Amino acid sequence: MRGDRLISILLILQAQGQMTAKELAEKLEVSERTIYRDMEVLSGSGIPVFADRGKNGGWSLIDGYHTDLTGLKESEIRALFAPVSPQLLEDLGLTRTSEDARNKLIASLPDVYRKSAKDIWNRIHIDTSSWRGTKERIASFEMLKNAIWEDVKLEIIYQRADGQINNYIVQPLGLVAKGSSWYFIAAKESGDIRNYRASRIQSATPLKETFERHDSFDIATYWKSSKKAFINTLPSYEVWVKVSEEIFPRLSFSNYFVRIMETKSNIEKGWRPVKLTFDTKEEAKRYILGFTDQMKIIEPKELHLEIFKMAKEAVAHYKP
């Protein structure tokens, strides 16, 4: 997001001349403090931006400086103009801003590349919404978004997955979209960084106290590490089964967290050996029972009796 904003600042100053930090902040819907940081980044990367102080002062580009984004390769243009999820932009309140920035970028491209950039949106579309159109309700999303830009501490009331409700004082660091779900990344007063599912935050109240954000924190690097650590702690239950060739293509089309780990090529009388892994034994039993006579257990053998017992209970329950 910062990269898009830096380009927007550059093109705005090029088109409109001198602007104050306040004017840029209002136009880009960020804080003045963020604008000052962005100017430091632009200056450090060699862009000749400078500030005139005083009543009529503001930021501007040195006379004669101009960029039209020439020199970009076609693959770089595709990467730059690759579409993002409309649902996520809507959640962030950036739909119109994204369209405006996109149009400015297209206008700055040489004619030879302009059609190529426009074609990307007719060839690639990213939809992160569910088929039924349902989405998680996030009670304090506006407050969370404001807090990550303003660097103000929040007091949040959070409901954990087990139903327990806790109060936390946190330092907001960012938001991460995982599929269609949002996660709020924040540091606790102890300094530990935690992930909070945004839909479980029942309320968020800004405090008058601000905090100093560490320049070394990179949200993409943090999330990659956090996700890897989470995956490594997930429980795992492995099962070898034989499945009929008829249902083999449908194995992964399920509401269960089942993964195909290994498949043997030898097929005996229409049955193929497959190694499956689940989060828990209970998930494995319900999944296997759902395929009735189209799946046979090889190991662990104790599942035979447990699934047989489940089947008897189901028959007794529905018996007229």
Side-chain angles (χ1 to χ4, degrees):
M1 185 178 291
R2 168 177 268 192
D4 292 342
R5 193 172 63 247
L6 293 177
I7 294 175
S8 296
I9 291 173
L10 183 58
L11 295 176
I12 290 170
L13 292 179
Q14 182 174 291
Q16 302 187 25
Q18 183 172 285
M19 294 187 71
T20 66
K22 182 179 180 181
E23 290 170 336
L24 285 169
E26 290 175 351
K27 194 171 188 67
L28 297 173
E29 298 180 346
V30 297
S31 67
E32 289 185 50
R33 186 176 178 181
T34 297
I35 294 297
Y36 285 119
R37 288 176 179 166
D38 289 346
M39 290 306 182
E40 290 179 5
V41 173
L42 285 172
S43 179
S45 63
I47 304 298
V49 292
F50 66 95
D52 281 333
R53 304 190 182 280
K55 183 179 179 181
N56 298 318
W59 290 95
S60 59
L61 294 166
I62 195 169
D63 289 343
Y65 181 82
H66 180 81
T67 181
D68 55 6
L69 299 183
T70 55
L72 287 174
K73 301 176 183 177
E74 187 168 351
S75 60
E76 293 173 333
I77 292 174
R78 288 177 182 171
L80 183 62
F81 285 86
V84 297
S85 164
Q87 180 62 60
L88 299 184
L89 285 175
E90 182 181 336
D91 289 346
L92 293 171
L94 295 176
T95 302
R96 181 59 185 273
T97 305
S98 175
E99 292 175 358
D100 291 344
R102 182 175 68 186
N103 291 334
K104 288 175 183 176
L105 285 173
I106 287 180
S108 70
L109 285 172
D111 291 341
V112 68
Y113 293 138
R114 200 165 294 164
K115 183 180 184 302
S116 177
K118 290 181 178 179
D119 279 348
I120 293 174
W121 294 302
N122 289 327
R123 298 173 188 267
I124 299 174
H125 181 73
I126 298 174
D127 183 3
T128 58
S129 61
S130 65
W131 285 109
R132 297 185 182 276
T134 57
K135 55 185 293 188
E136 294 182 331
R137 180 181 176 275
I138 305 176
S140 303
F141 202 44
E142 290 301 316
M143 189 64 66
L144 300 181
K145 288 190 292 184
N146 291 337
I148 64 174
W149 296 120
E150 301 297 334
D151 293 340
V152 296
K153 291 185 178 181
L154 287 180
E155 179 178 2
I156 63 172
I157 299 177
Y158 185 72
Q159 183 176 18
R160 300 190 338 183
D162 60 7
Q164 183 178 341
I165 296 176
N166 294 319
N167 285 53
Y168 300 106
I169 303 295
V170 298
Q171 300 174 359
L173 297 176
L175 287 162
V176 171
K178 175 66 173 171
S180 59
S181 298
W182 284 99
Y183 289 85
F184 179 58
I185 315 301
K188 299 173 70 174
E189 292 183 292
S190 62
D192 294 337
I193 300 176
R194 292 288 183 267
N195 308 334
Y196 302 90
R197 186 145 181 165
S199 59
R200 293 198 195 123
I201 297 176
Q202 298 185 347
S203 69
T205 305
L207 305 180
K208 294 182 179 180
E209 186 179 358
T210 60
F211 66 95
E212 193 68 31
R213 183 186 178 93
H214 293 294
D215 292 335
S216 60
F217 177 76
D218 179 83
I219 195 167
T221 302
Y222 164 78
W223 181 256
K224 182 178 180 180
S225 174
S226 175
K227 186 173 68 171
K228 182 179 180 181
F230 175 76
I231 291 172
N232 288 339
T233 61
L234 288 175
S236 178
Y237 186 78
E238 295 182 349
V239 182
W240 270 104
V241 295
K242 289 182 179 179
V243 301
S244 70
E245 282 296 283
E246 180 183 345
I247 67 163
F248 179 73
R250 295 166 32 214
L251 287 185
S252 58
F253 291 89
S254 167
N255 291 328
Y256 295 100
F257 293 103
V258 58
R259 293 167 294 280
I260 301 175
M261 304 301 292
E262 187 179 341
T263 302
K264 292 186 177 179
S265 58
N266 57 310
I267 302 173
E268 300 176 3
K269 299 180 180 180
W271 294 90
R272 180 193 295 262
V274 178
K275 183 181 181 181
L276 304 174
T277 181
F278 303 83
D279 287 348
T280 65
K281 179 193 281 190
E282 291 303 313
E283 284 187 356
K285 291 193 294 187
R286 290 193 293 268
Y287 178 85
I288 295 171
L289 184 60
F291 281 106
T292 60
D293 61 346
Q294 299 296 303
M295 187 175 290
K296 299 178 180 179
I297 299 169
I298 301 175
E299 58 182 40
K301 297 189 180 301
E302 68 265 17
L303 278 188
H304 281 277
L305 288 178
E306 294 184 33
I307 293 179
F308 179 67
K309 181 181 176 182
M310 289 175 65
K312 284 179 63 177
E313 291 171 348
V315 170
H317 179 72
Y318 288 103
K319 186 176 181 179

